[in-house]
Amino acid sequence: MQIENPPTERRSDKPAGERRGLVLVHTGDGKGKSTAAFGLALRAHGRGKPVKIFQFMKVPSARFGEHRVFEQLGIPIEGLGDGFSWKSRDLEHSAELARAGWERARAAILGGEHFLVLLDEVTYPLIYGWLPLADVLQTLRDRPREVHVVLTGRRCPQEVIDLADTVTEMGLVKHAFQAGVPAQRGIED
């Protein structure tokens, strides 16, 4: 590792634009997309801002770590799906759940009551063709000016990336799963 001196001067000018709601995307094959989005939700909630979280692939009865803590904090989190697609007994039913969930998420975005709306794992129903991309894009364009929306999931459609204000691609460098280590309670769930 090379040691470097910390900066002693600001490296860029402070932006002078108007503050407004942002569209943020966390995508890529690396771990941490949802976790980073949950961090934004916690940050907003900590500032007294209303937050709503929709999880497109999790079942409504899911009790992962994030569900437990968000419940304790009073942050609404809704599972809209029926789990991993490869475990589904009826993919058309999975698609119907995604479409019904999108209507709830869309209403939350357009309603303007939430500072931040998180669409966790929304890229999957998009790339499976379960949600109409055009409607998602139009909703993001039509949202009230002050509403921030975070979208997570692998293989985010380019059209969403083009519309977004901030896009972070989580790159996989190494993952314990590749060494045969199964998912860890409290790390993956």
Side-chain angles (χ1 to χ4, degrees):
M1 179 179 84
Q2 181 177 347
I3 302 296
E4 59 182 67
N5 292 325
T8 57
E9 295 179 14
R10 179 181 217 112
R11 292 189 177 182
S12 61
D13 293 334
K14 186 175 181 179
E18 183 180 1
R19 293 185 191 273
R20 62 175 175 78
L22 303 173
V23 173
L24 303 102
V25 172
H26 297 171
T27 193
D29 290 335
K31 182 166 174 40
K33 296 174 288 292
S34 297
T35 305
F38 296 150
L40 289 174
L42 290 171
R43 178 174 280 171
H45 181 75
R47 288 289 192 168
K49 308 289 188 181
V51 173
K52 179 71 178 189
I53 301 171
F54 296 96
Q55 290 188 300
F56 277 85
M57 301 305 285
K58 300 287 191 294
V59 298
S61 60
R63 298 293 296 149
F64 296 110
E66 64 265 25
H67 299 99
R68 295 164 191 259
V69 75
F70 285 138
E71 181 180 285
Q72 292 171 16
L73 294 172
I75 298 174
I77 182 169
E78 281 188 50
L80 304 172
D82 59 357
F84 295 119
S85 58
W86 57 87
K87 290 184 176 181
S88 177
R89 292 191 176 121
D90 182 353
L91 286 174
E92 183 49 40
H93 176 68
S94 301
E96 289 171 12
L97 289 172
R99 287 188 287 271
W102 168 245
E103 290 306 316
R104 292 209 302 276
R106 183 179 182 277
I109 293 167
L110 296 176
E113 297 172 15
H114 298 93
F115 174 81
L116 177 73
V117 179
L118 196 166
L119 307 177
D120 187 41
E121 299 178 331
V122 71
T123 63
Y124 304 111
L126 281 169
I127 62 178
Y128 299 157
W130 297 349
L131 298 182
L133 178 60
D135 187 38
V136 172
L137 293 169
Q138 195 59 51
T139 299
L140 294 173
R141 286 187 200 102
D142 292 347
R143 75 190 190 286
R145 184 165 177 76
E146 67 281 357
V147 174
H148 301 271
V149 180
V150 184
L151 301 91
T152 74
R154 295 172 188 240
R155 300 184 309 281
C156 185
Q158 187 62 48
E159 296 88 342
V160 175
I161 289 171
D162 292 344
L163 181 130
D165 297 290
T166 301
V167 178
T168 301
E169 185 172 0
M170 309 297 193
L172 178 64
V173 175
K174 185 177 180 180
H175 196 291
F177 186 79
Q178 295 167 325
V181 179
Q184 304 286 318
R185 187 153 294 213
I187 299 296
E188 276 84 18
D189 77 353

